Amino acid sequence: MRLRGTRASRNIEDRRRRGGAKAGGIGGVGLLIVLAVGYFAGIDVTPLLEGAAPMQQQSSSRELTPQEERAGEFAARVLTTTEEVWGQIFPQQVGKPYRPPIMVLYAGVTQSPCGGASGATGPFYCPADRKAYLDTAFFATMERQLGAKGDFAAAYVIAHEVAHHVQNELGILPEVNRRRAAVSQAEANALTVRLELQADCLSGVWARAVGSRLEQGDLEEALNAARQIGDDTLQRNAGRVPQPHTFTHGTSAQRAGWFKRGYDSGDMNQCDTFAARRL
């Protein structure tokens, strides 16, 4: 992805220099908190991280590594592209001004109004404060553990979380939350799948709009990332037989398909997963 000359967004809250936790996982209570708000998350990789070592506390402050500096700069520039794209598309297709989210960069664990967050469970969006949360170490997790390589795969993750913010701006997130509270767990999971696939489709709309910044192979990187984080693939990689009634993000084929639908159309109206008979 060509980002040279793209300014870094000012809508960044960098918490990575603060004291926190490091290493492989999150304690049981923290994990339950994160899973309780899991329907906001773009990616849930906990099936791959079960049994990980507990977090270990670090000092109260620290310097960022060169790798962290690069990851933060990358995230800030990608966020700028989402601001430019939705700042144009949202008024055109919705008829309202677009209010961009804040992106919180953190290392290890952090807190949000939606509960505790851990890099082990992937990026997520919290509608209570209109902020997207990202542990930049997740980029390495994507490449090493999930098989989702490439800078555009990482950019897709950011775009997906911003897509949840777009859903919040449209009033979709609170409506889905209300509906989830009134149905069974299996039905709630099915609603969550439609929410996530819609975010994938909106990410595709963003990808089409940044076409001039794409390089050869970028689109395939995003599609591969979508496939690698499908519920069926994650459950198989964790040694489980996929159980569709437990899916909360959609299959690999569904995630890639809805991303491609958004990319091919560039039209938010084509992303109405809630009206689709088949996903």
Side-chain angles (χ1 to χ4, degrees):
M1 186 179 188
R2 299 184 185 94
L3 291 173
R4 181 175 296 179
T6 302
R7 65 172 177 81
S9 173
R10 296 181 179 179
N11 293 314
I12 295 287
E13 180 183 333
D14 198 338
R15 301 180 184 177
R16 294 176 297 169
R17 288 182 174 84
R18 302 180 185 178
K22 183 180 181 181
I26 186 171
V29 174
L31 180 58
L32 289 175
I33 293 173
V34 174
L35 293 179
V37 296
Y39 91 95
F40 296 124
I43 300 169
D44 183 0
V45 297
T46 48
L48 300 180
L49 296 167
E50 289 182 346
M55 293 284 184
Q56 297 180 355
Q57 292 299 315
Q58 293 180 307
S59 59
S60 59
S61 65
R62 65 182 181 87
E63 294 297 319
L64 298 181
T65 67
Q67 182 179 11
E68 287 176 316
E69 292 279 12
R70 290 191 297 271
E73 184 70 16
F74 172 81
R77 291 185 178 187
V78 173
L79 186 61
T80 291
T81 70
T82 69
E83 292 164 353
E84 293 172 348
V85 167
W86 292 114
Q88 180 178 12
I89 291 179
F90 202 87
Q92 289 177 346
Q93 299 189 13
V94 180
K96 298 179 181 179
Y98 175 67
R99 300 180 300 165
I102 300 293
M103 176 171 285
V104 176
L105 304 181
Y106 69 96
V109 294
T110 195
Q111 292 295 318
S112 81
C114 293
S118 163
T121 54
F124 73 101
Y125 174 74
C126 180
D129 60 2
R130 302 176 67 252
K131 293 180 179 181
Y133 289 77
L134 171 68
D135 183 341
T136 52
F138 186 73
F139 295 147
T141 298
M142 288 179 61
E143 182 172 346
R144 297 170 187 170
Q145 294 181 255
L146 300 178
K149 300 180 179 179
D151 60 349
F152 201 65
Y156 152 72
V157 169
I158 295 172
H160 182 98
E161 297 314 316
V162 172
H164 282 310
H165 174 71
V166 172
Q167 291 174 314
N168 196 38
E169 291 291 282
L170 293 170
I172 294 172
L173 277 183
E175 174 60 19
V176 170
N177 191 31
R178 184 190 66 78
R179 292 169 62 185
R180 279 170 48 90
V183 297
S184 69
Q185 185 62 56
E187 292 172 314
N189 288 346
L191 285 170
T192 304
V193 167
R194 290 180 183 270
L195 187 75
E196 294 297 336
L197 294 180
Q198 184 179 61
D200 283 327
C201 184
L202 292 171
S203 301
V205 173
W206 160 83
R208 181 182 181 90
V210 298
S212 62
R213 290 187 170 96
L214 298 187
E215 298 176 301
Q216 185 175 2
D218 276 352
L219 181 59
E220 182 52 40
E221 287 178 4
L223 289 170
N224 176 62
R227 297 184 192 105
Q228 295 301 328
I229 56 181
D231 286 319
D232 54 338
T233 297
L234 290 175
Q235 291 186 3
R236 285 193 192 96
N237 289 345
R240 301 175 181 174
V241 175
Q243 301 180 26
H245 71 281
T246 68
F247 290 175
T248 56
H249 295 77
T251 68
S252 294
Q254 288 171 335
R255 299 202 72 168
W258 279 95
F259 177 90
K260 189 66 162 50
R261 179 168 178 161
Y263 180 83
D264 288 342
S265 68
D267 184 0
M268 296 173 65
N269 293 320
Q270 295 299 313
C271 297
D272 189 357
T273 53
F274 296 94
R277 292 187 177 182
R278 295 184 60 184
L279 296 175

